[in-house]
Amino acid sequence: MVGTQQEREEKVSLELTEEILQSMETGMVFRDYNGRISSMDFHKTSSYLVTASDDESIRLYDVSGAACLKAINSKKYGVDLVCFTSDPTTVLYSSKNGWDESLRLLSLNDNKYLRYFKGHHDRVVSLSLCSRKECFISGSLDRTVLLWDQRAEKCQGLLRVQGRPAAAYDDQGIVFAIAFGGYIRMFDSRKYEKGPFEIFSAGGDVSDANVVKFSNDGRLMLLTTMDGYIHVLDSFRGTHLSTYNVKPVSINSTLEASFSPEGKFVVSGSGDGRVHAWSVRSGKEVASWVTYETEPHVIKWAPGSLVFATGSSELSFWIPDLSKLAAYVGRK
């Protein structure tokens, strides 16, 4: 499966250009939500997408078949953040009921909880799984970041932070990043208790961190903040490569951005509901789309694919319109 994923990513790196990105538009749209989509995740090696919504539902989609396979309700606990484990039929999600901040490992096959992870005392605002290992990391408004093993109910480590944290593992699980207070702190997963081995500046932007992510190859990272900034850095040196600016988001919203599979472009939501795309190399905006939304979309790029998804009051899959491309006109 890993080989297949690498082949997909190599294929995309040859095909994804500014022209193709500019041609992208919504293809399939699912409008049957009764609340805003708060989170979504593509599985690394299958064609599945999972969403979490304010209507307290978790939904599983087969992207290749453009179909919703299953909808599971979490009425008792609510659902906020969701992500796949290595198994495409098992997800991890955070609660949204204000009284139980446990994380839950859920089997989508039979709608059964496999494990509960208790440790946070306020809303979980960041959740990242390591795709190569059985570990994950969570950050909360209780100003703690907890390290977990999927096989154990108790957390494996605790780090205290001074603000709202955003946390993420790199794809290999060798390092993880924690962003808060205008800085990104880099930790070695094997000896995190020694503290960060690097601290990178967000260029003077001290507004609350929303999302931190690594590119697929681990060479780049991005940080989004509540003031509407998206910072792209070299993840090895901490060099500030570019900063993009969109309309700020409200205190209850999250500004999300995503690297394209080969790391050449960044797509993001915005506080005014627009969707933007930038070139990492030039730092320039290459595309912008007006939507009917007035709040930021959650946004994820499908691994090794010319597809990204946005979630708001509806779920949209964005695909290239080849008829707009001069190089494809006349081809059959």
Side-chain angles (χ1 to χ4, degrees):
M1 294 296 282
V2 173
T4 304
Q5 183 186 356
Q6 289 174 343
E7 288 167 12
R8 285 184 195 155
E9 289 174 359
E10 287 168 8
K11 183 180 178 184
V12 169
S13 69
L14 294 173
E15 293 183 356
L16 186 58
T17 63
E18 286 189 16
E19 187 183 19
I20 288 177
L21 190 54
Q22 289 162 355
S23 81
M24 295 184 81
E25 58 183 32
T26 53
M28 182 66 68
V29 179
F30 293 87
R31 297 188 171 91
D32 56 336
Y33 285 85
N34 294 314
R36 290 190 61 80
I37 297 169
S38 56
S39 176
M40 62 184 172
D41 189 34
F42 283 100
H43 190 260
K44 287 280 187 182
T45 55
S46 74
S47 62
Y48 289 163
L49 171 81
V50 65
T51 66
S53 168
D54 289 347
D55 63 10
E56 301 174 326
S57 71
I58 297 170
R59 306 189 193 199
L60 179 68
Y61 294 86
D62 180 356
V63 180
S64 61
C68 181
L69 302 180
K70 184 169 288 190
I72 293 174
N73 291 320
S74 178
K75 297 293 184 185
K76 182 176 180 180
Y77 303 109
V79 56
D80 194 8
L81 304 178
V82 67
C83 49
F84 279 112
T85 64
S86 57
D87 180 349
T89 65
T90 306
V91 297
L92 181 72
Y93 78 92
S94 65
S95 310
K96 198 176 186 179
N97 58 17
W99 54 269
D100 185 341
E101 305 302 340
S102 302
L103 300 165
R104 291 171 171 77
L105 194 64
L106 174 69
S107 168
L108 298 177
N109 275 337
D110 50 14
N111 192 19
K112 287 187 177 178
Y113 292 115
L114 306 178
R115 195 158 285 115
Y116 299 87
F117 305 95
K118 296 183 179 181
H120 285 302
H121 303 289
D122 204 342
R123 182 181 160 216
V124 173
V125 292
S126 186
L127 187 61
S128 174
L129 268 79
C130 173
S131 60
R132 304 292 175 93
K133 300 175 183 177
E134 298 291 306
C135 51
F136 64 94
I137 189 169
S138 58
S140 167
L141 295 179
D142 65 12
R143 297 195 168 194
T144 64
V145 172
L146 301 183
L147 304 173
W148 306 86
D149 185 311
Q150 288 180 40
R151 298 159 293 190
E153 290 186 358
K154 292 187 177 180
C155 73
Q156 308 297 296
L158 181 153
L159 295 164
R160 298 193 183 279
V161 297
Q162 308 301 313
R164 173 184 168 134
Y169 274 107
D170 77 325
D171 190 54
Q172 303 293 323
I174 297 171
V175 302
F176 61 86
I178 301 176
F180 64 90
Y183 292 90
I184 303 172
R185 291 156 174 82
M186 307 292 289
F187 293 83
D188 184 325
S189 297
R190 295 157 295 186
K191 43 190 176 184
Y192 62 86
E193 65 278 357
K194 294 185 177 180
F197 64 85
E198 292 278 11
I199 301 178
F200 301 146
S201 170
D205 179 5
V206 295
S207 63
D208 276 352
N210 273 189
V211 171
V212 64
K213 291 182 184 178
F214 289 89
S215 59
N216 284 344
D217 61 11
R219 295 178 182 176
L220 302 173
M221 58 195 313
L222 64 78
L223 168 67
T224 71
T225 66
M226 191 164 287
D227 279 357
Y229 291 101
I230 302 147
H231 306 284
V232 178
L233 296 85
D234 180 306
S235 61
F236 295 115
R237 300 180 183 86
T239 311
H240 206 273
L241 302 177
S242 52
T243 295
Y244 321 125
N245 189 210
V246 299
K247 186 174 180 181
V249 299
S250 68
I251 195 167
N252 295 319
S253 298
T254 296
L255 175 61
E256 188 170 27
S258 181
F259 284 109
S260 59
E262 77 306 319
K264 290 183 179 178
F265 301 98
V266 170
V267 290
S268 88
S270 171
D272 59 7
R274 294 176 74 96
V275 176
H276 301 269
W278 292 270
S279 163
V280 170
R281 179 175 295 174
S282 70
K284 295 180 179 178
E285 184 174 89
V286 296
S288 176
W289 299 271
V290 176
T291 72
Y292 296 109
E293 300 294 328
T294 57
E295 294 185 56
H297 296 76
V298 292
I299 190 163
K300 289 284 194 314
W301 201 293
S305 174
L306 291 175
V307 176
F308 68 85
T310 57
S312 50
S313 60
E314 56 191 34
L315 173 65
S316 302
F317 293 98
W318 297 71
I319 57 175
D321 179 358
L322 299 184
S323 68
K324 293 180 179 178
L325 305 178
Y328 291 88
V329 172
R331 289 190 185 183
K332 298 293 183 184

